[in-house]
Amino acid sequence: MAEPARPASTSPGADATRSHYDVRRADLPLSCPLPSMAVWNEHPRVYLSIVEDGGRSKCPYCGTTYVLVD
C-alpha cells in the first residue's frame, strides 16, 4: 500500500492548515482537501491536474501548493 501524501513541513504545531504538501503518483488523482484531511467544511473538493501542470499545483480556493515528488 502506498504512503499517504505528507506535509513538506514538520514544524511544531502544524496541522491541516499547512500550505504545502508533497504528493506521490500513488496519491493521484489529487484533490484538495486531501481525502485524509478531516476538514469537511473548508471548501468544496477540487481536483488538481498536477501532472499536466508540470508537477506543481495550487488550490484555487485555499492556495495550498502540492508538489509531485516521484
Side-chain angles (χ1 to χ4, degrees):
M1 188 156 122
E3 289 183 35
R6 298 184 303 254
S9 171
T10 55
S11 59
D15 58 14
T17 61
R18 291 184 190 105
S19 62
H20 180 94
Y21 286 86
D22 289 340
V23 294
R24 300 189 179 285
R25 291 187 187 274
D27 299 319
L28 301 180
L30 176 63
S31 66
C32 184
L34 293 168
S36 61
M37 295 177 176
V39 289
W40 59 269
N41 64 346
E42 289 296 312
H43 61 69
R45 176 161 287 150
V46 60
Y47 286 88
L48 305 171
S49 55
I50 195 166
V51 173
E52 293 83 0
D53 293 342
R56 179 181 285 271
S57 287
K58 186 173 185 176
C59 176
Y61 287 102
C62 66
T64 298
T65 302
Y66 297 90
V67 176
L68 190 61
V69 295
D70 70 352

